[in-house]
Amino acid sequence: MTQAISNAHIYAARRAHLASQLGEGGVAIIPTAPERARNRDSDFAYRHDSYFYYLTGFTEPNAWLVLDATGRSTLFCQPKDLERETWDGYRLGPNAAVAALGVSAAVSVAELDKQLPQLLENQHTVWYPFATHKGLETRVDGWLNAVRARVRFGAQCPSQQRDACGPLDDMRLVKDAHEQDVMRRAAHISAQAHIRAMQTSARMLRAGQDVREYHLDAELLHEFRRHGSQFPAYTSIVAAGANACVLHYRADAAPVRAGELVLIDAGCELDGYASDITRTFPANGTFTGPQRDLYNLVLASQDAAVAATKAGARFVDPHDAAVKVLAQGLLDLGLLRKAKHGNAQDVIDTRAYFPFYMHRTSHWLGMDVHDCGSYVAPSELGQTSERKDPVSGETIVNRPSRILGEGMVLTIEPGLYVRPADDVPEAFWNIGIRIEDDAIVTSGGCELISRGVPVVASEIEALMRG
Ligand code: GLY
Ligand code: MN
Ligand code: MN
């Protein structure tokens, strides 16, 4: 709560910016997330809706923001209730909300169905996030019906509905100084957690202990929480040995063995912002020869992607730079045979690298780990070209990928995943490697905010000896 109070001006400025885009007679309705049952009467830990938080800084459930084009904002929130607060915790309540959050008015959420038709009456367009909140469309229909019932008294009913995600996604895509600061802190905590997991793995193996993936997961959680992170930003991946080749593997109970690699993809959420880091390290602290060769190739591809990340470049440029390095490296290391696959450009043109590298290199990062924001600039949406996919033969419509701007935040996360196959040298089988960092785009390049944990093989080995 103190968060919202001390930063109330930030959220007020965002509301004003959104209001300026609603057009005359526009009203935006932004609900927060529902509470969700896990089983019987236990709920999942509550997490607010990102759009709602972006505009209010308010983290209680059962809350709605209604904003009109004049900039008037109404918060609907849980009323004070001593009994409920005894069980569930403190509620800000409407009376305190106006001063704490800087909204124009605040009322009990029990008033929502009564007041929404009044707030929509004589307005032109109702904006809300499309396909985001189950049942919201039906509720909007109900409020509009209530306005329509008053048409014979001279009321005007909004005649347009528009998706609020459009303007909000564009706003959220560029992170302001406050957001960048929180994201730096989140990434720093996550980096410390990765170091802790690496060192625990080596120490336990040196001591002859049975190490399981969940032991390392526990270290991550410990480090996240002890620095004030509220949750992991997504389900942590702690994948030992061959499990690293399963892209969405979760920390389970598999043994962590000396001689194998461990891939950890884990990041904390801090004050509503995600971090997203992957490191791959030798369980006992020393890379074998083939592991090191493959690791250094992935690292070189990440270096190339980082060098391609700067304001003015396209979103796809880091991916293309990474693929170029990986294609050449796969040929050089013999995972792809030159006699069969030709040169690096042939490998790219035929997508022959795809069995080893099947995901993209980047995604936006922010409040959500796969953050919102179109990967095509709205102004360039219409510029299409077609190509045939070399593997599936399908026709793919290409649109120009987004031009990166200062303050956009993206991950840079190339990888290689080698499954056993007859035409692949056995020394590389079951090795999965990904290296993922978080980058804030700057004018001349990017700032890697997750490098509190090293990526160079010898530096990882050194810290694991400690
Ligand atoms: N941790 C999810 C991702 O890297 O996209
Ligand atoms: Mn990621
Ligand atoms: Mn990740």
Side-chain angles (χ1 to χ4, degrees), residues 255-462:
V256 174
R257 297 190 188 92
E260 292 185 338
L261 295 179
V262 183
L263 182 155
I264 295 185
D265 182 345
C268 72
E269 179 175 309
L270 182 73
D271 298 342
Y273 286 83
S275 52
D276 184 7
I277 303 181
T278 307
R279 290 292 182 264
T280 309
F281 58 91
N284 63 352
T286 308
F287 284 93
T288 67
Q291 289 168 355
R292 192 184 303 272
D293 288 343
L294 224 47
Y295 186 89
N296 284 338
L297 172 56
V298 176
L299 186 57
S301 77
Q302 201 209 28
D303 286 343
V306 169
T309 303
K310 54 173 172 274
R314 298 250 175 207
F315 176 82
V316 77
D317 290 348
H319 179 70
D320 288 347
V323 165
K324 208 169 159 187
V325 173
L326 291 175
Q328 185 62 54
L330 288 168
L331 291 168
D332 294 344
L333 291 176
L335 283 99
L336 292 173
R337 283 188 296 115
K338 291 179 180 157
K340 182 172 173 195
H341 294 286
N343 63 25
Q345 193 55 49
D346 298 328
V347 167
I348 295 167
D349 291 344
T350 57
R351 251 196 322 128
Y353 62 86
F354 200 70
F356 304 107
Y357 185 41
M358 62 299 281
H359 60 77
R360 306 288 297 182
T361 302
S362 302
H363 55 80
W364 304 130
L365 181 71
M367 292 185 161
D368 300 314
V369 65
H370 295 163
D371 207 33
C372 61
S374 170
Y375 289 96
V376 181
S379 61
E380 294 186 321
L381 255 178
Q383 298 175 25
T384 59
S385 59
E386 287 188 354
R387 68 180 167 88
K388 266 216 177 334
D389 182 79
V391 179
S392 67
E394 281 174 280
T395 301
I396 296 182
V397 177
N398 271 338
R399 295 179 200 276
S401 98
R402 191 142 202 162
I403 293 175
L404 299 176
E406 286 178 61
M408 294 181 184
V409 182
L410 67 159
T411 63
I412 304 177
E413 49 176 310
L416 283 175
Y417 312 89
V418 187
R419 292 189 173 273
D422 287 343
D423 52 357
V424 172
E426 198 171 339
F428 297 117
W429 287 6
N430 293 318
I431 296 180
I433 295 169
R434 179 165 62 257
I435 305 172
E436 175 173 29
D437 282 289
D438 303 345
I440 302 177
V441 178
T442 61
S443 61
C446 65
E447 175 189 345
L448 295 178
I449 59 176
S450 46
R451 282 290 173 88
V453 53
V455 283
V456 174
S458 59
E459 292 176 24
I460 289 175
E461 289 177 326

Side-chain angles (χ1 to χ4, degrees), residues 1-12 15 53 55-59 92 97-102 178:
M1 202 41 47
T2 44
Q3 269 287 320
I5 294 167
S6 60
N7 295 318
H9 64 284
I10 293 173
Y11 303 100
R15 289 194 295 273
Y53 180 77
L55 294 168
T56 61
F58 190 50
T59 56
L92 181 62
V98 173
L101 306 176
H178 164 72

Side-chain angles (χ1 to χ4, degrees), residues 198-217:
M198 288 176 184
Q199 291 183 326
T200 300
S201 176
R203 192 180 58 245
M204 287 179 74
L205 285 174
R206 277 199 299 269
Q209 291 167 337
D210 178 34
V211 189
R212 301 281 164 162
E213 291 164 341
Y214 55 72
H215 287 122
L216 307 187
D217 191 28

Side-chain angles (χ1 to χ4, degrees), residues 59-73:
T59 56
E60 286 186 27
N62 293 317
W64 299 65
L65 176 73
V66 181
L67 178 71
D68 73 19
T70 70
R72 185 175 165 78
S73 52

Side-chain angles (χ1 to χ4, degrees), residues 126-325:
V126 50
W127 295 77
Y128 57 91
F130 285 5
T132 305
H133 298 269
K134 209 166 154 36
L136 179 58
E137 290 82 356
T138 311
R139 292 199 74 174
V140 172
D141 283 350
W143 297 322
L144 291 175
N145 263 331
V147 181
R148 228 175 265 137
R150 290 185 31 78
V151 166
R152 65 199 167 96
F153 299 108
Q156 289 277 344
C157 186
S159 57
Q160 280 200 44
Q161 300 191 21
R162 294 194 61 184
D163 186 3
C165 295
L168 280 169
D169 287 356
D170 256 19
M171 288 171 67
R172 282 177 52 189
L173 181 55
V174 178
K175 276 66 180 177
D176 61 29
H178 164 72
E179 295 182 289
Q180 291 182 23
D181 174 57
V182 180
M183 292 186 76
R184 278 189 196 96
R185 286 191 282 123
H188 182 72
I189 294 170
S190 298
Q192 298 309 305
H194 278 264
I195 289 175
R196 187 182 177 105
M198 288 176 184
Q199 291 183 326
T200 300
S201 176
R203 192 180 58 245
M204 287 179 74
L205 285 174
R206 277 199 299 269
Q209 291 167 337
D210 178 34
V211 189
R212 301 281 164 162
E213 291 164 341
Y214 55 72
H215 287 122
L216 307 187
D217 191 28
E219 298 299 323
L220 297 166
L221 271 174
H222 179 95
E223 199 68 13
F224 290 172
R225 286 297 278 151
R226 88 189 184 94
H227 291 294
S229 149
Q230 290 82 3
F231 326 89
Y234 53 90
T235 306
S236 301
I237 296 170
V238 180
N243 293 335
C245 295
V246 180
L247 293 181
H248 288 166
Y249 187 82
R250 296 178 166 187
D252 201 354
V256 174
R257 297 190 188 92
E260 292 185 338
L261 295 179
V262 183
L263 182 155
I264 295 185
D265 182 345
C268 72
E269 179 175 309
L270 182 73
D271 298 342
Y273 286 83
S275 52
D276 184 7
I277 303 181
T278 307
R279 290 292 182 264
T280 309
F281 58 91
N284 63 352
T286 308
F287 284 93
T288 67
Q291 289 168 355
R292 192 184 303 272
D293 288 343
L294 224 47
Y295 186 89
N296 284 338
L297 172 56
V298 176
L299 186 57
S301 77
Q302 201 209 28
D303 286 343
V306 169
T309 303
K310 54 173 172 274
R314 298 250 175 207
F315 176 82
V316 77
D317 290 348
H319 179 70
D320 288 347
V323 165
K324 208 169 159 187
V325 173

